[in-house]
Amino acid sequence: MGNLCCFFSYMTSIANIVDAVRNPFCIWRTLRGIEPLCCDGKPRYVVGNAAVTFFVRHNGESKVLKCYTRTHKNLGIIYGSDFHSRELCIADLTGRKVWIDCLLTKFIEGITLDNLLKEKLSADTLHSIATAFDRMALQLLSSPRAHGDLKPENIVVAPDFQSMQAIDWDAAYLPQLNGEQANEIGTAAYQHPARTMEMYDKHIDDYSIAAISTLLHAASIEANVLEYYRNNFEPPFSPRLITRRQTKQIDPIIDAFARRGMAAQYHIAKMLTSPTPRLFQLPTILELTAEPSPKPIENKQELQADEMNGLWGCRSSEGWVVAPLFDSAFDPSEGVMLVTLGAYKHFIDLDSRPLVTFSKETIVKPFRNGKTTISQPNGTNYTLDLYQILHNSNK
């Protein structure tokens, strides 16, 4: 078999690869039993930047076969035994027989995030999708590797919308590759413009995670965000512009998060204006939103406002009850807590749920005996009844 093909830095066409895979007599170096799934007699495949990906059956299992149009020296390290160097023999553009690299992986059931976002989705479904992404992102940030090209096209969402998996790890960073340069710098719509080939470390996903999380959470509260994405196939904010402090695209999103008391999302969206791609506080913010609240507090007198890393929450002797994600906070009284976030003040319950919101210029004090006085910027005052806002919030 070795006499039939040679191997070098090859250049081949998509048609050459498709013809080889569909041919029942094609030459594989080690693989056996590859059966491409067909539609109208033609193999099902998608074309990427440097590969053709087929949906196949292999030894009775649904798998994905990726055939590369050019070489990539790190694929063996990234994919391990799933990577098959010099696996498939094809004809190149000159008619010469060459071996090309292949990747064979298990098929992941679900739909890619970019295709899912093209469907009509409720606000609750979008919230579930955004929360699932944050969980996946935290797992990725907690692992030793990084993806390198995280974007909706490279994320598969499970049918129940409760979990996600990243695919296409060709640009990945692993500790074994420390000290090398990256082969690519990802997709511009989800990357910090200061990311270079020299930046090749555990932080290459930071900005992409912040961008996608912001996109999904913003879509769950603002319909125009998803409409923009569907029309333009990218978020309604440009990393190139907002990192240059041209923030008119992202400012309304940041303000919407602050107005709704979405503290974690507010801080993550603000990170998108960072002058550097490495977002060191991102894992901490995601961890705080993922941690379950302690069991119900028997003695609420022990609760007090506390600060961590310049942000405020509420702590008991057992840990954080309200995660430290607010710009300032008063000690809780009568089961609610007065906090500030951006240009807004909120009374929140101990599940961090906003109960009533005011502009930052409004003078507000904590409740005492079930009532507090609100002094509005126009000089008028009124009394706010705690029972009434709790009753309204439970409707």
Side-chain angles (χ1 to χ4, degrees), residues 112-242:
T112 56
L113 181 57
D114 67 315
N115 283 325
L116 181 59
L117 293 179
K118 296 171 187 175
E119 298 184 3
K120 187 175 182 179
L121 304 168
S122 69
D124 287 344
T125 298
L126 285 165
H127 175 73
S128 295
I129 292 168
T131 302
F133 174 80
D134 288 349
R135 285 195 298 267
M136 184 199 76
L138 182 56
Q139 291 174 354
L140 180 56
L141 290 171
S142 302
S143 75
R145 64 178 181 169
H147 185 277
D149 190 19
L150 209 59
K151 56 184 176 180
E153 296 95 314
N154 286 342
I155 299 169
V156 175
V157 184
D160 63 0
F161 304 147
Q162 298 303 304
S163 62
M164 300 183 183
Q165 290 189 55
I167 59 173
D168 192 356
W169 290 77
D170 292 2
Y173 166 82
L174 281 75
Q176 302 94 302
L177 300 173
N178 191 44
E180 297 193 18
Q181 283 195 358
N183 285 291
E184 57 180 279
I185 56 172
T187 302
Y190 302 94
Q191 296 293 335
H192 196 289
R195 181 183 168 188
T196 63
M197 294 291 193
E198 288 71 31
M199 180 186 168
Y200 190 47
D201 59 22
K202 188 65 189 67
H203 290 281
I204 56 177
D205 291 334
D206 290 3
Y207 199 86
S208 303
I209 287 171
I212 298 171
S213 180
T214 297
L215 168 66
L216 296 176
H217 283 285
S220 74
I221 60 172
E222 300 281 359
N224 64 311
V225 171
L226 200 53
E227 182 179 353
Y228 184 97
Y229 179 86
R230 289 167 176 162
N231 291 333
N232 297 277
F233 307 108
E234 62 183 22
F237 44 82
S238 162
R240 181 178 58 83
L241 293 177
I242 59 180

Side-chain angles (χ1 to χ4, degrees), residues 311-363:
L311 296 177
W312 288 81
C314 175
R315 189 192 286 276
S316 75
S317 59
E318 299 180 38
W320 292 106
V321 177
V322 173
L325 293 169
F326 295 94
D327 296 330
S328 66
F330 286 85
D331 287 338
S333 64
E334 304 186 41
V336 299
M337 187 174 186
L338 179 60
V339 299
T340 63
L341 187 66
Y344 301 91
K345 296 177 180 178
H346 304 277
F347 278 115
I348 63 172
D349 63 17
L350 297 182
D351 290 328
S352 300
R353 181 171 58 106
L355 301 172
V356 62
T357 299
F358 311 91
S359 69
K360 199 169 186 178
E361 293 76 22
T362 303
I363 299 174

Side-chain angles (χ1 to χ4, degrees), residues 234-372:
E234 62 183 22
F237 44 82
S238 162
R240 181 178 58 83
L241 293 177
I242 59 180
T243 55
R244 293 178 180 177
R245 300 297 175 181
Q246 300 175 33
T247 59
K248 65 179 181 179
Q249 294 176 325
I250 196 68
D251 284 345
I253 294 174
I254 294 173
D255 183 75
F257 289 150
R259 187 170 66 253
R260 289 168 171 81
M262 299 169 66
Q265 292 72 37
Y266 167 81
H267 291 295
I268 291 173
K270 286 181 65 178
M271 291 180 190
L272 295 177
T273 65
S274 167
T276 64
R278 296 177 175 91
L279 308 179
F280 294 104
Q281 292 302 313
L282 180 62
T284 300
I285 299 295
L286 289 173
E287 284 170 7
L288 287 170
T289 61
E291 288 180 0
S293 298
K295 295 179 181 179
I297 305 300
E298 297 294 334
N299 180 15
K300 293 187 177 180
Q301 298 300 317
E302 70 172 4
L303 298 178
Q304 61 180 13
D306 203 356
E307 176 266 347
M308 185 176 79
N309 297 328
L311 296 177
W312 288 81
C314 175
R315 189 192 286 276
S316 75
S317 59
E318 299 180 38
W320 292 106
V321 177
V322 173
L325 293 169
F326 295 94
D327 296 330
S328 66
F330 286 85
D331 287 338
S333 64
E334 304 186 41
V336 299
M337 187 174 186
L338 179 60
V339 299
T340 63
L341 187 66
Y344 301 91
K345 296 177 180 178
H346 304 277
F347 278 115
I348 63 172
D349 63 17
L350 297 182
D351 290 328
S352 300
R353 181 171 58 106
L355 301 172
V356 62
T357 299
F358 311 91
S359 69
K360 199 169 186 178
E361 293 76 22
T362 303
I363 299 174
V364 186
K365 295 181 180 180
F367 282 98
R368 180 169 297 179
N369 299 321
K371 296 185 183 299
T372 187

Side-chain angles (χ1 to χ4, degrees), residues 47-157:
V47 178
N49 183 40
V52 189
T53 301
F54 298 87
F55 301 94
V56 303
R57 297 284 292 176
H58 176 244
N59 295 334
E61 292 185 60
S62 294
K63 294 190 178 182
V64 175
L65 173 71
K66 190 172 184 179
C67 301
Y68 290 89
T69 59
R70 60 175 180 257
T71 57
H72 182 331
K73 64 185 179 68
N74 292 333
L75 294 180
I77 297 173
I78 293 169
Y79 291 112
S81 60
D82 287 339
F83 178 68
H84 301 268
S85 177
R86 304 175 57 188
E87 182 58 43
L88 176 61
C89 185
I90 67 162
D92 73 359
L93 295 175
T94 68
R96 184 181 302 184
K97 301 293 184 181
V98 297
W99 293 105
I100 64 170
D101 297 336
C102 295
L103 179 70
L104 187 64
T105 57
K106 290 183 178 179
F107 174 77
I108 300 173
E109 185 178 0
I111 180 173
T112 56
L113 181 57
D114 67 315
N115 283 325
L116 181 59
L117 293 179
K118 296 171 187 175
E119 298 184 3
K120 187 175 182 179
L121 304 168
S122 69
D124 287 344
T125 298
L126 285 165
H127 175 73
S128 295
I129 292 168
T131 302
F133 174 80
D134 288 349
R135 285 195 298 267
M136 184 199 76
L138 182 56
Q139 291 174 354
L140 180 56
L141 290 171
S142 302
S143 75
R145 64 178 181 169
H147 185 277
D149 190 19
L150 209 59
K151 56 184 176 180
E153 296 95 314
N154 286 342
I155 299 169
V156 175
V157 184

